[in-house]
């Protein structure tokens, strides 16, 4: 599962909250970070003051932690042994971090992700949904199977929507019902584009994909009919596009590391005016969309939040520093469940 976990984390970098975000807990900020030692921290709302960045509280300090996912006011983590845990509180006190409850313990456990308030897990090639019942001893009955397809490559979710990408490049949306034995009929095809598709991002209200030529497309429906999949609208056509990230809004990062927000106007022919620049910083290493804002990580591992002022020429003042910790490995951003 190492490869698939790596793929998920790459998608989370592109869609932050796509499949592993949309969160609102204790302070409602919905921002978490994972350190290289496996510890997990939550932002409390206090930005940095000069070199002092005190706005973080520790939730766990477990070297077995593999990845985190959050949504709907809940935080989850996957351990190296395949167990899945839900954060119930309290925060850490000294070296003790008791606020976690075991909810999954399957030998095929792999990637986890959250859409809206629903937790999903990829086990081998099957996809499972958590129903809310925690484990009792080694028994973890709180899961239902949604798909069991050997072609399943990875999945993404948000806003109550779940999608999976197949190895042949086809793209599917979950419509229900859940599997009955080995029969899993609850999927409809929304795209079949194996040659130009790079990655997808699931926002709170829409699904997006990026093509190899840098163009970005939004799914508007209808689903595929036979080999025809007309339900896509082009919203950008820029060869400089490097990655996309979706939450409450859609963002893209260019190859020069500038950050742009989609304003809602699709392309008209070859003209795609629906973008505004939020930042122009060559030190940007990743863009993470939340419910009502966007975060970025710099090459020095510092974390920054967009405050709402777009660029004016070469001046991009709309950012505040939240942390400056070289131990940061990854962040998960979000907001309230949709």
């Amino acid at each position: 599962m190492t490869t698939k976990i790596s793929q998920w984390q790459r998608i989370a970098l592109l869609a932050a909250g796509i499949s592993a975000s949309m969160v609102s807990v204790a302070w409602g900020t919905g921002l978490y970070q994972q350190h290289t030692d496996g510890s997990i921290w939550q932002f409390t709302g206090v930005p940095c003051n000069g070199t002092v960045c005190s706005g973080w509280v520790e939730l766990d300090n477990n070297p077995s932690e593999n990845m985190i996912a959050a949504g709907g006011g809940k935080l989850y983590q996957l351990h190296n042994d395949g167990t899945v845990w839900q954060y119930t509180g309290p925060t850490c006190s000294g070296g003790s971090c008791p606020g976690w409850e075991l909810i999954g313990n399957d030998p095929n456990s792999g990637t986890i992700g959250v859409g809206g308030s629903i937790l999903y897990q990829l086990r081998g090639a099957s996809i499972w949904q958590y129903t809310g019942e925690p484990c009792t001893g080694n028994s973890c009955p709180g899961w239902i199977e949604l798909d069991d397809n050997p072609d399943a490559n990875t999945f993404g979710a948000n806003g109550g929507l779940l999608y999976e990408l197949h190895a042949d490049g086809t793209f599917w949306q979950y419509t229900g019902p859940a599997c009955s034995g080995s029969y899993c009929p609850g999927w409809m095809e929304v795209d079949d584009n194996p040659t130009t598709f790079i990655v997808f991002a699931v926002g709170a209200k829409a699904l997006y994909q990026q093509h190899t030529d840098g163009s970005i497309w939004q799914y508007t429906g209808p689903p595929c009919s036979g080999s025809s999949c007309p339900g896509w609208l082009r919203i950008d056509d820029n060869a400089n596009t490097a990655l996309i990230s979706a939450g409450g809004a859609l963002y893209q990062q260019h190859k020069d590391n500038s950050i742009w927000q989609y304003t809602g106007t699709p392309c008209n022919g070859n003209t795609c005016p629906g973008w505004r620049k939020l930042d122009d910083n060559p030190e940007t290493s990743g863009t993470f969309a939340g419910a009502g804002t966007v975060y970025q990580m710099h090459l020095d591992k510092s974390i920054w939040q967009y405050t709402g002022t777009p660029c004016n020429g070469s001046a991009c003042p709309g950012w505040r520093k939240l942390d400056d910790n070289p131990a940061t490995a990854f962040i998960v951003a979000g907001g309230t469940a949709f």
Side-chain angles (χ1 to χ4, degrees):
M1 291 305 299
T2 301
T3 300
K4 288 188 176 179
I5 290 173
S6 175
Q7 288 170 338
W8 170 260
Q9 289 182 331
R10 177 171 178 265
I11 287 174
L13 280 168
L14 302 179
I18 147 183
S19 313
S21 57
M22 310 321 294
V23 60
S24 175
V25 293
W27 297 274
T29 60
L31 179 65
Y32 302 91
Q33 63 170 295
Q34 172 185 342
H35 284 190
T36 52
D37 62 0
S39 60
I40 302 171
W41 299 75
Q42 182 180 3
F43 181 57
T44 63
V46 180
C48 296
N49 184 2
T51 59
V52 177
C53 303
S54 58
W56 297 85
V57 62
E58 189 175 21
L59 305 186
D60 201 16
N61 188 12
N62 192 324
S64 296
E65 185 266 331
N66 185 297
M67 68 178 298
I68 57 176
K74 297 176 182 178
L75 172 67
Y76 305 92
Q77 64 170 298
L78 173 68
H79 283 192
N80 291 326
D81 63 1
T83 55
V84 182
W85 301 76
Q86 178 179 336
Y87 179 65
T88 58
T91 60
C92 297
S93 178
S96 175
C97 304
W100 295 87
E101 179 178 48
L102 182 67
I103 62 172
N105 186 16
D106 188 276
N108 295 313
S109 287
T111 307
I112 58 172
V114 182
S117 59
I118 303 172
L119 174 66
Y120 304 97
Q121 181 176 35
L122 188 64
R123 301 178 182 176
S126 61
I127 298 177
W128 296 73
Q129 176 183 330
Y130 180 56
T131 61
E133 184 178 354
C135 300
T136 301
N138 290 324
S139 175
C140 303
W143 297 84
I144 56 173
E145 189 175 19
L146 306 185
D147 201 16
D148 187 8
N149 192 319
D151 289 329
N153 187 303
T154 191
F155 71 94
N158 211 335
L161 302 173
L162 173 65
Y163 301 91
E164 72 173 28
L165 176 65
H166 285 189
D168 63 1
T170 58
F171 203 33
W172 301 75
Q173 179 181 342
Y174 179 66
T175 57
C179 297
S180 177
S182 60
Y183 180 56
C184 306
W187 295 85
M188 70 175 184
E189 188 176 14
V190 297
D191 202 15
D192 184 6
N193 197 332
T195 58
T196 61
F197 174 85
I198 291 184
V199 71
F200 66 93
V202 189
K205 299 177 182 178
L207 167 68
Y208 309 92
Q209 63 170 288
Q210 178 184 339
H211 286 190
T212 53
D213 62 1
S215 62
I216 301 172
W217 300 73
Q218 177 181 344
Y219 179 63
T220 57
C224 298
S225 177
S227 60
S228 175
C229 303
W232 293 87
L233 176 71
R234 186 170 56 146
I235 59 175
D236 200 18
D237 189 13
N238 193 324
N240 291 316
T241 300
L243 56 85
I244 58 175
S245 175
L250 174 67
Y251 306 88
Q252 65 168 301
Q253 186 173 325
H254 284 188
K255 292 176 182 177
D256 64 0
N257 291 332
S258 60
I259 300 173
W260 300 72
Q261 180 181 358
Y262 180 55
T263 60
T265 303
C267 298
N268 183 3
N270 292 324
T271 302
C272 304
W275 296 86
R276 64 178 179 180
K277 186 189 287 191
L278 306 187
D279 201 16
D280 190 9
N281 193 324
E283 296 299 313
T284 299
S285 63
T287 305
F288 304 77
T293 187
V294 63
Y295 305 90
Q296 63 170 298
M297 186 186 294
H298 285 188
L299 293 172
D300 64 1
K301 306 300 183 180
S302 61
I303 301 171
W304 300 73
Q305 180 185 2
Y306 178 62
T307 59
T309 304
C311 296
N312 183 2
S314 60
C316 304
W319 296 86
R320 65 174 185 171
K321 186 189 287 190
L322 306 185
D323 201 17
D324 190 8
N325 194 324
T328 300
F330 191 74
I331 63 176
V332 170
T336 54
F338 291 86

